[in-house]
Amino acid sequence: MAALNNEELPTIYNLASSDPRSELIDRSTVGEDALQQIERIMAEMGRLRSVERKISRASQHYMNLNETDMRAIRFLISAKNTGDIVTPSALAKHLRVTTASMTKMIDKLESAGHVERTAHATDRRSLCLAVTEDTHMAAREQVGRHHASRFSAAARLTAAEREVVIRFLSETAQDMESSVNSVGEIPTPKA
């Protein structure tokens, strides 16, 4: 799909309709051409997030897993690829969940055939977790191929363009993190 150029931007990315009085963003020093480019960047970032959510939902549905389960599987796949040993406590720390929640999750993932527990090679009191080969291959086909397509887009850029993108993404993450930290925890809606 071609990038948004002169197409109508979704209202969420159009600052004139989403922040008409410049209460959130002071646009007084930004020219119209720059403003239109910035809105296109925001729209493309939104489109990227939308595609990522679509891929994530399809993968979760295909593998019958929730988002936290998928994060656990990705962590275990990375560990397998690098030869790292993962204990339940290491996985709980990575996912930022309690050990009780971790035990329940591991039980569920093991009974579904996604992970296996083995004895730790050097610590008899500890267990190791590993993703099963079937789940590894399914995740590779369902998620890995989609995420690998990012490489092609990055490879088409020049070195200088990649540096601009890196700086932009890094600064965007930093600014958003600062915003969250200054406002406080974002409340979750009640179900």
Side-chain angles (χ1 to χ4, degrees):
M1 182 181 281
L4 295 172
N5 285 323
N6 295 324
E7 298 175 28
E8 182 77 20
L9 291 174
T11 304
I12 190 171
Y13 304 111
N14 181 303
L15 290 172
S17 57
S18 64
D19 184 25
R21 291 174 292 286
S22 294
E23 294 168 322
L24 297 173
I25 302 167
D26 178 10
R27 302 185 296 276
S28 63
T29 61
V30 180
E32 189 58 35
D33 289 345
L35 187 58
Q36 286 179 7
Q37 278 186 311
I38 292 167
E39 287 178 338
R40 285 177 39 216
I41 289 170
M42 298 302 114
E44 290 302 330
M45 288 177 66
R47 189 163 66 98
L48 176 61
R49 283 191 306 271
S50 177
V51 171
E52 287 176 330
R53 283 191 302 270
K54 182 179 178 181
I55 290 167
S56 181
R57 281 191 305 271
S59 299
Q60 289 172 23
H61 178 73
Y62 175 80
M63 297 177 74
N64 197 25
L65 299 171
N66 65 37
E67 185 177 337
T68 305
D69 297 338
M70 288 296 288
R71 288 179 46 228
I73 296 297
R74 284 193 297 270
F75 185 76
L76 291 170
I77 289 171
S78 287
K80 182 177 183 176
N81 290 340
T82 59
D84 292 334
I85 294 172
V86 178
T87 62
S89 59
L91 184 57
K93 182 178 177 182
H94 172 75
L95 297 174
R96 295 184 177 144
V97 299
T98 65
T99 53
S101 295
M102 185 80 282
T103 300
K104 185 176 176 181
M105 177 191 290
I106 294 168
D107 289 344
K108 179 179 88 170
L109 292 175
E110 185 177 45
S111 69
H114 294 299
V115 302
E116 50 197 11
R117 298 178 226 218
T118 58
H120 195 286
T122 59
D123 182 357
R124 291 183 180 260
R125 298 169 297 155
S126 190
L127 292 173
C128 296
L129 301 173
V131 66
T132 63
E133 194 58 37
D134 286 345
T135 295
H136 186 180
M137 294 311 295
R140 180 182 173 98
E141 292 303 313
Q142 282 296 310
V143 182
R145 290 198 185 282
H146 296 300
H147 289 300
S149 62
R150 295 175 181 173
F151 180 86
S152 298
R156 286 190 298 268
L157 299 174
T158 65
E161 289 170 329
R162 282 191 291 274
E163 287 301 324
V164 169
V165 172
I166 291 166
R167 190 182 88 230
F168 169 73
L169 293 174
S170 175
E171 289 180 10
T172 299
Q174 288 171 7
D175 289 352
M176 291 178 78
E177 186 71 30
S178 294
S179 174
V180 169
N181 291 338
S182 69
V183 172
E185 195 66 29
I186 297 172
T188 53
K190 304 250 187 237

